[in-house]
Each structure stands twice: as structure tokens, then as C-alpha cells.
Amino acid sequence: KKKTVSFSSMPNDRKINSTAACISLMLEGCELKKVRSNSRMYSRFFVLDADMRSVRWEPSKKDSEKAKIEIKSVKEVRVGKKTPVLRSNGLSDQFPDECAFSIIYGDNYESLDLVASSADVVSAWVMGLRYLVSYGKHSPEAPGTGHPSLRTSWISSVFDLADLDKSGRIPVSRAVQLIKALNPGMKTSTIELKFKELQKASERPGAEVACDLFVEAYCELCTRPEIFFLLVQFSSNKEYLGVKDLLMFLEVEQGMEGVTEEKCLEIVGKYEPSKEGREKGYLAIDGFTRYLLSADCSIFDPQHRKVCQDMAQPLSHYYISSAHSACLLEDNFWGRSDISGYISALGLGCRSIELVLWDGPEGEPVVYTSPSAASCVPFRAVVGLIDQHAFTASAYPLILCLVVRCSAPQQRLAAQCLRKTLGDKLYLEPPNPVASYLPSPEQLKGRILIKGKKLPPSCEDSEGEVSDEEEGWELARRLGQEDREAPEGGGPRRVRLSRELSELVSLCQAVPFQDFESSRRGQRYWEMCSFSEVEAGRFANECPAELVSYNKRFLSRVYPSPMRIDASNMNPQDFWKCGCQMVAMNYQTPGLMMDLNAGWFRQNGACGYVLRPAIMREEVSYFSANAKDSLPGVPAQLLHLKVISGQNLPKPKGSGAKGEVVEPYVCAEIHGIPADCAEHRTKTALQSGDNPIFDESLEFQINLPELAVLRFVVLDDDYIGDEFIAQYTIPFECLQPGYRHVPLQSLAGEPLPHATLFVHVAITDRRGGGKGHRRGLAGRRGRRVREYTSTKATGIKAIDEVFRTATQPLREATDLRENVQNALVSFKELCGLTPAANMKQCILTVSTWLLHSDSTPSVTLNLAEQYPPMEAQGPIPDLLRKVLTAYETMIQTSRTLIESADVVYGKLIQAQQAGMDFHKELHRIETKEGLRGRKLQKALESFAWNITVLKGQADLLKHAKAEALDNLWQIHNAGQSCGIGRNGSASPELSRLRAPLEPIPE
């Protein structure tokens, strides 16, 4: 299989880059499959009449006057399987979502359901129909005639500026440079080829181009059909977005709150290239494309670009970005064998660095920067560098992990060097004996902590013996310096430690790990253990609950296995899921594991500290790190991800000849707890050049969102082996909803200029029901088969009686929430929207139908009431009647939820607090009841489960109430802005009622 590239544009590969192109395709007509209500499909030829007033199809048993739909009768055009016929189970798997569309028409809101051969054909028909529905009444002539568009005028003005001698022509080379300057990612060869093609077609070869040819080349090269399609969806004004359209797009699709018209004008002023557009407040296709590609529209939540988490929790409640000592080993990535590895790691926000001290030849300690004896660097040089760069990327504490392999005299020199160089930055205060937890990152800002061994209190000499650490010996083996034999009897190695170095250790005293029970009874909060990857992996698999519990109070550090002589990396998620704070990574080794680490620590202002999930911090909580299903008290979420297209994708490194075509596909991976780990891929985009269209929807269920990471990988589909093109990794909590560009990175994590993926992100509560056709079982679950979360028996009578009081409130809380969710899904489906849609979109959709009716609107929203009823005047069609009924159900269930939530919430919290009152007495009660072994373990697990369930369900109910209030606010807001609301100012009670939307305190 040899890849080839074609240099001629295929006639059927016509680029749809304007409404005119859509309408000309419709005027020519094409074959579509018509779907009947009995789920049968029939191929028919559909065509737009020459007068552009109706769409016809043939052959048909009806006479030609009946086998047509008048444009003026069209209420709505829906993309995807958004009608009951297309959702029916017999059909839904026969064709992809993006190949289906429906035309809702007539006074009875009938639907004509159609399936096209490709998503492009759907885009053209939908775009053309929407344009004709909006403007057909006013302008039956084809668009593009008469007055030049904003865009054409702007491109012509660019041409005029380049036409220095005003001859009406410019050299091709200058024209190519102009287009490249306006579209920096585009290849010069692509632009040159387009000019040759157009010159040949218009029979005007030569070294110069005229203005009309330049405009044509620009429009063909620089119009992205998927963005043009999006613009037409939201535009109420031909081929640009007005301020109100942009406001609607930002609120409804991008999920932005509090957007004002001033903000929209600011965006237009910043991104619209045409002077006329900026003056009139219009955002045309080029400005819209620029905005979508800009940092203002990033997929990464801007809130997380600065520190946004609570930094006042104990140090053990955070994940800490950590580097292994091998981060300094010579490598082709970091380059020279010097100490620049430290600067790189600190610059990336790393907050824990390991230093292995050896005896130096000049009588002062050294650190090795590669496994060759010649590459040692004086310890003082490394400390000087750390002093200089410790807080450039983050103000939060830096932990230096000292592994001592040098003699006591050189240790004294090392201690003096640390004191002298780091001065006040060194944290030397003794631990507070009455505290139970470590201080917080906030309290330790700007301080450097030393992690290392400490002499026992009984030792009064200037030096003494301490147990050695396993770490650091792999380098010794490679240097041939491992002269210390393990002691006879197999005990731990012993090393001499000087008092000066011991006195530098305060909050991070290294101690050997015995077992979890000994730690629970005897370990002090300032003592910490290091685990080899193998040992930590065994605990994570065999006793994950104990490891999670251990990490609530104590810091733990996991270092790579000495067997990794290639400096490869372990998967940090394997240990993060058990709460291990410091997973030491080889920063110089690129690949999946380093992507996960770098992506994870991008959040919270990339300060190197990330707050762990609440379920891992709370003193009493049930959390199973290896859970294969949803967790008690944590709401699972659905991620709906649509991968639309790729831009300026580079060729894989080392790929062959220039003519070779990249045939990419995208893999979306979720990394997190085992229940969340999943991977889905798009189909391969064949012969697609640098800008492939994927247009594919993927779906993931996320059970612990706070620990999930999404990784996009772009690969070249090759028969020898799929080659890596690019990747981007982002924490789930940092995803922004809506249409976003993903900034792709190389294997080494460096940004690839102008290489992006265009995606759509929607996140819904799982009970929202996923895509329509999956909803049959979960969404409409009747009350009798509804699954209720319940408490578990501990076997201790007094405690079980307390938890039993919560049985009824737990059922009530579930019913209140599920009833609203089911009603919401039904209402959204009848509006032709997905469960990911918001309430504002629903109201706007209904208002669009009504405004496209010839009769006056027959349905209004009475905004004078807190729970606005939707009222019909006179007879209304069947579909609208169903919509009204579904709306009424949704309003009633929401009202019940809002009015009952506080009482039920109170009962759940009361039961939880009554349970917690037993917590301090738990061990005494266990002994009294005679519980031990497996029974004791089961009782403790059940107790933690019950506390977690009660808190979790109470939080869910509180969130559900806040969401219901927000929905009411959206109904008021949309009712006013779209004209179907009456008695209008936004209800004063509502602005007051929205107050509970602040996050729930722990």
C-alpha cells in the first residue's frame, strides 16, 4: 500500500464555503434517503425549485404539487437524530448521527426525516435551508449578487494596499505572502497550487494576479466549512453575527455567564478584520474563525491559569509535582550533561527535587548529572541554582529530598552550604507537637523544606547511625561505587549521619515503613515514607483503602523502580488514585506518562500543588481506588465529545518523501480511576491533507471527575504501524464547554505552532440520559425499578438505628432529583435537542418555531410568576401540545424539588452528624461489641460508606436545587430576550433565589 497524493481538485470534492455554494448544490439536487415512520428508508432525488420557494422530491406516488415542502412553511431544520422516527431503535445504528437531518414544517409540525451520504451534504442542505427560511421572504435572488459582502470588501482592501503601483494586479509571490500572513499555519505550496489552479481555470496564466482572483483564492483557501456552518446556525443576519447573535452563541453554546453587549463589541473590535464590521458591530467568518482560535476561546478554563484552589489545607491533602534524581541524567532531550535539568524542572512548576550527595574529589560533596564519573557537579553549584530558581514558577514550598551517600565531614559542608545559600528560605522550625496535620502550602509559601533522615533523640554525639534509604543505589551501581555491602542477616543498611545535616530536617522526616497498623498507632504527622514503585503498586492492588487512609495524614513519595535503567516513567495515576502525593517522574523522558503528569499539573495556576478529591481528604469517607463503577456520593458525569476537524497537522517525525500524505485519526483517552479509564477513536480521514474533517461524536462516563484526565492523541494510520503526530492532555475539571480548539503539542510536550483540533465539548450529569437512543432504560426508569442508594448495616445496634433514620430521606432525595432529570430530558427531546442542551436553548427553540409561523405566536410565557407557566391561546398543533405538557411536568417537578429540598437536606445532614458523633467512640464501641478481624473491617467499611453516602446525597440534592433555580432564571431570561414572555421584568425573587449556587463547603 503506497500512499499517493492527487494534485487536482476532485469535482465532487467541492468546498462549501458560502451560502451561495450551498444553494447551488440544492438547485442541482442530490439523492437523499427519506425515512418513513415505519422505519423504512427510500432513496429519492431532492431538489430546490429554481424560484427557491420549495423543495421537491421524486419519484413519488403523490402528485408533484404534494411531493414538495414550501420554504415558508419550514419551522426548523434539525441536524442529527433529533426526531422520534430517527431515534427509533430499528434505525439508530444504521447510519451515523451526523448524516441525518430533519425538516419540521407545516402548521402541524410534521417532520421530513432524511439521511445523506455524508456529513458535508447534510451541512450544505441545512445551511442552505436555514438561510432560505430566514431570508427567503425578503430576497428570492441568489445570495452573493449585488452588494459585495463585508468579507469581499475587506479582502479587496487588503489587495489594494498590496497593489503599490495601483495597476489592479500584484505578483503571485506577493499574493502568496499576503494569504500566508493572514493564515500563518498554511503551507506556501498549498497557496501556490491554488493560484495555479484558478489561473488555469480562468485562462489567465502569468506572474501576476488580479483582485477578483485573489478574493476567490482567499475564500477557497481560508473558509473552514465547519465554522461557516456554525456561524449560519447562530446568525440572524446573513453571513455574519450581530452583537445579539454573538451574545446568544457565547451564553448558549459556550456556557459563558454574565455576557454583556459591551463584551461582545469588545470581541468584535479585537477579532473582526474589516473596518466596516468593527464599526457596525458585525463578526464575519474571518473574525469568528480568529476568535475561535484565540486564547479567549481556549479549551482550558482560564480560572485554572491562576491559583484557584483552597491552599489552606494540610500539605498531605495535595498532589505535589515531583522529579526523580534521574531528571538530571544526560539525555538527548535536555541536551548537555549539566545542571540545566534543575532549571527546566523548576520552570515547569516542579515542587519536589531529589539530590543524591556523594563524596567529591576536592573534599566537598558533589551531585552526579549522568552515569559517568566525569559528570559530577559541586553540591554548592546546584544549591545556588535552586536558590535562584526555586520560586520563579511557583511561590509554594519546595521540598528537597536529600539522599546521603557521602561521608560525615562532607555532610557538614553540605549543611553549611544549605544554611548559608538558602538563608531564611530554609524551614527549620520544629513541628508543633499538639497539631495533628502538616501546615498548609499557604503557611509555607516561599519556604524550602528538607526531606531526609534525622538522628534519634537519644543520640547526643556530633554524628550517629541511621537506617539507609533504598533510593539512589541504582546510580551507585552504574558508577561502580556500591562498595557498601548489605549487613548480614538481611536487615536494612546503616549509614553515618552528621548532626548538622540532621538538624535541617523538620516537617519531612524520612522514616522506614513497617505496616499500616503501626503507622496508624505510632507514626507522627511530620514523618514520611518513601515507597518503591513495586512496593506502592502492591499496596495499591492489595489494600488500596488502607493506602488512601494512610495518605490522609501522612505524605508518601513513590520513586521509580531501579529496573528502569532507561529512565522510563511509571503511570502516576496508579498512585494518585490511592492518594500518594509525590510520584517522582523522570522529567527528561517524554511519552504518555509524562504527558499525564504535565497535563495534570497545568491546573491550579501550574503552581505544582493540586488539591486532592474531597472523598480522599475527609476523615471518614468510603473510597475504593479500584472501583469499577460509580462511587457513593460522587455524581458521575457524561462527557460528550465531538471531534470536528484538525488544522495544520504536521507530518510524523521522520516520515518519508514530500509526496506522502498524512492519513490521521484522533484517539481520545480518559485516564483516572479504573472505572473511568477508556479510549475511543475517530475513523481515519483519508487523503485529507493537513486539515482533515473527522466530524465524529465520542462519549465517556466519568465517575470521579476530580481525578480524570483527558488526552487527545493524533496518529497517522499506516499499515506498518501508526505513527505519532501530536497530543494534548488536560484535566477533566479544566475543560470548557462549547466549540473549542485544542492546542496540539509534540511528543516532548512543546507547542506545535498553529496545529489544532476543533472540538465540541458538552458535560452532563449522567442522569441526563446520554444520547437519545440510550435513554430507553435509564432515562424513563419508572419509580418501581428506580435504583436507590441505601445505607449498610455495621452490626452495631446503636449506630445502625441512627443510619436507619436516613432511609426515607435518601429515597425522597433520589425521587426529587430523578423526577426533575427525567422531565428535563423529555422536554429537551421534544424540543429536538440533546440532553446536553441548556434551558435557554429549549425556550429559544420553541420561540423560533412560533416566530416562523404565519399566525401570531399562540404560546406565551407568563413571567409575572416565579414558576412561569407556558400558556396556549386557541388551538395548537399536536407537537406543541406535547411540548407544553412536558414543560408543565418539568416546572412542577422543579417546584417540588425547590420547595422540599431544604427539609430533606436537613434530615440527611442530621443523620450524618449523628453518625459522626459515634466516630470518636468507634474504637471503644468495637471493643465493647467484641468485633475483630473481618467483622471489624466490615463494620468500619460500612460506617465510612454510610457517612459518604449521606454527605454525597445531601450535596447532590443541594446542587440539584441550585440547578433548578438556575433553569428558572434561564427561562425568565430567554422569555424576555426572544419575545414570547409577557409581564416581563426578571422576577426579583429569582435573583435572590440564585444565591445558593456557591460551592458547597466541606
Side-chain angles (χ1 to χ4, degrees), residues 80-126:
K81 302 168 191 170
K82 302 277 177 56
T83 62
V85 170
L86 290 175
R87 273 201 201 98
S88 68
N89 291 334
L91 280 176
S92 55
D93 300 329
Q94 291 184 30
F95 48 86
D97 195 63
E98 52 271 14
C99 285
F101 70 106
S102 305
I103 302 170
I104 313 293
Y105 66 97
D107 290 340
N108 290 326
Y109 293 76
E110 295 167 68
S111 74
L112 173 63
D113 299 301
L114 301 167
V115 177
S117 56
S118 74
D120 288 348
V121 176
V122 173
S123 298
W125 275 90
V126 172

Side-chain angles (χ1 to χ4, degrees), residues 558-724:
V558 181
Y559 58 89
S561 157
M563 303 307 287
R564 293 185 182 273
I565 53 171
D566 57 350
S568 61
N569 275 308
M570 49 193 165
N571 185 344
Q573 283 277 7
D574 291 345
F575 309 104
W576 289 340
K577 71 179 185 189
C578 294
C580 298
Q581 298 88 349
M582 299 157 74
V583 181
M585 302 294 284
N586 291 313
Y587 269 58
Q588 80 283 15
T589 309
L592 164 64
M593 305 314 173
M594 201 55 217
D595 290 347
L596 292 177
N597 192 73
W600 179 250
F601 285 107
R602 263 191 203 113
Q603 61 188 312
N604 201 27
C607 73
Y609 284 82
V610 171
L611 190 60
R612 294 186 316 175
I615 200 165
M616 290 189 184
R617 307 192 306 265
E618 284 149 1
E619 196 176 352
V620 179
S621 66
Y622 178 88
F623 170 66
S624 170
N626 295 329
K628 297 280 191 287
D629 200 359
S630 55
L631 302 165
V634 179
Q637 296 189 311
L638 265 191
L639 169 64
H640 310 267
L641 187 66
K642 187 172 190 182
V643 181
I644 303 167
S645 59
Q647 290 73 46
N648 307 311
L649 299 182
K651 285 186 179 169
K653 268 218 169 102
S655 70
K658 278 185 182 173
E660 190 176 338
V661 180
V662 175
E663 296 192 330
Y665 65 92
V666 178
C667 232
E669 310 164 346
I670 293 284
H671 298 266
I673 59 170
D676 291 344
C677 291
E679 179 182 306
H680 294 312
R681 57 159 286 179
T682 66
K683 54 185 177 292
T684 300
L686 301 168
Q687 302 281 322
S688 60
D690 313 328
N691 302 303
I693 296 278
F694 301 105
D695 219 6
E696 209 158 331
S697 299
L698 314 171
E699 196 174 279
F700 299 90
Q701 181 171 312
I702 316 287
N703 295 291
L704 185 56
E706 290 172 278
L707 201 58
V709 173
L710 170 63
R711 181 172 183 254
F712 295 93
V713 196
V714 187
L715 296 158
D716 183 18
D717 197 341
D718 195 31
Y719 63 103
I720 295 172
D722 297 348
E723 292 183 88
F724 175 92

Side-chain angles (χ1 to χ4, degrees), residues 777-811:
L777 295 172
R780 293 219 169 125
R781 206 178 268 153
R783 184 176 290 252
R784 284 183 305 284
V785 291
R786 185 169 283 171
E787 291 172 17
Y788 292 100
T789 310
S790 56
T791 55
K792 292 181 176 179
T794 61
I796 301 166
K797 194 178 173 189
I799 294 177
D800 286 343
E801 274 173 14
V802 164
F803 287 132
R804 213 168 288 129
T805 63
T807 308
Q808 193 51 35
L810 278 173
R811 289 182 74 86

Side-chain angles (χ1 to χ4, degrees), residues 869-910:
M870 207 181 259
E871 296 159 346
Q873 281 79 38
I876 55 168
D878 187 41
L879 176 70
L880 263 185
R881 172 77 53 209
K882 285 181 181 168
V883 168
L884 258 65
T885 309
Y887 174 85
E888 183 57 28
T889 308
M890 181 204 64
I891 285 289
Q892 287 312 324
T893 52
S894 301
R895 182 175 190 158
T896 310
L897 167 69
I898 290 165
E899 291 174 355
S900 319
D902 290 353
V903 174
V904 179
Y905 177 84
K907 288 178 184 171
L908 292 173
I909 290 298
Q910 198 179 344

Side-chain angles (χ1 to χ4, degrees), residues 515-568:
D515 55 67
F516 291 115
E517 188 51 38
S518 307
S519 295
R520 189 164 76 94
R521 291 183 191 284
Q523 189 171 336
R524 291 165 300 186
Y525 72 83
W526 61 85
E527 295 175 331
M528 65 175 284
C529 301
S530 288
F531 301 92
S532 81
E533 167 191 353
V534 176
E535 188 183 17
R538 194 177 75 246
F539 292 145
N541 288 325
E542 292 172 11
C543 42
E546 276 111 315
L547 189 52
V548 170
S549 184
Y550 172 86
N551 285 321
K552 286 178 185 177
R553 273 192 67 205
F554 309 116
L555 283 177
S556 63
R557 182 171 182 277
V558 181
Y559 58 89
S561 157
M563 303 307 287
R564 293 185 182 273
I565 53 171
D566 57 350
S568 61

Side-chain angles (χ1 to χ4, degrees), residues 2 172 185 218 405 537 742 753 773 863 920:
K2 185 80 188 92
V172 172
Y218 179 88
R405 296 271 172 267
V742 177
H773 61 267
L863 299 181
K920 293 178 181 65

